[in-house]
Amino acid sequence: MPAHGEGVAGDRVVQQNLEAAWPADLPADDERELLAAGRALLRADATGTGRAKWPSVFDDSGYAVAPAFATARFRIQAAIARRDGRRNKAVVHLVWAGQDRGGTFTDLRITDWFFTRTNKKGAATWTAQPPT
């Protein structure tokens, strides 16, 4: 793994290590769909931007959300989508970096988002599961 604080230059190594540790096991289309959703979920969770798109994941209590991380200092360093035990379950593993509201920048943070394949109107889709 690259040293903490190496910046964008180390992200490629992080991605390669993640892929080597857990070889691909999903069809390419599913992996692309899950990666896009996982990235969007992480961005929404960390920065507060886009939470409305995920009402089943994020509480819609009507209260304003103070984002934990600044959007300008947030980046996803690496991401993979893999099966989670069964054909209709998947997990998106994300490694990311961000600066919190206190000004502390940390990289190599890890977040997992879990998905279940559901059928809606005859079409299969991946549905994000709320954090437990």
Side-chain angles (χ1 to χ4, degrees), residues 12-109:
R12 183 171 169 223
V13 173
V14 177
Q15 182 68 41
Q16 289 171 341
N17 286 336
L18 196 57
E19 290 172 355
W22 197 345
D25 62 359
L26 286 167
D29 288 346
D30 286 340
E31 187 171 8
R32 275 191 297 278
E33 179 183 345
L34 287 160
L35 286 172
R39 287 180 174 116
L41 275 164
L42 176 58
R43 185 169 304 284
D45 188 34
T47 68
T49 303
R51 283 179 175 239
K53 182 180 176 185
W54 308 97
S56 65
V57 175
F58 300 110
D59 180 22
D60 187 17
S61 62
Y63 295 103
V65 173
F69 293 88
T71 55
R73 296 291 318 258
F74 170 87
R75 79 174 190 283
I76 296 171
Q77 297 177 273
I80 61 169
R82 300 296 186 256
R83 281 201 171 97
D84 186 32
R86 292 182 279 167
R87 286 178 53 116
N88 66 338
K89 303 265 185 199
V91 60
V92 177
H93 297 284
L94 300 118
V95 180
W96 58 284
Q99 180 176 330
D100 64 27
R101 292 185 303 169
T104 302
F105 184 85
T106 307
D107 59 352
L108 301 175
R109 293 174 178 267

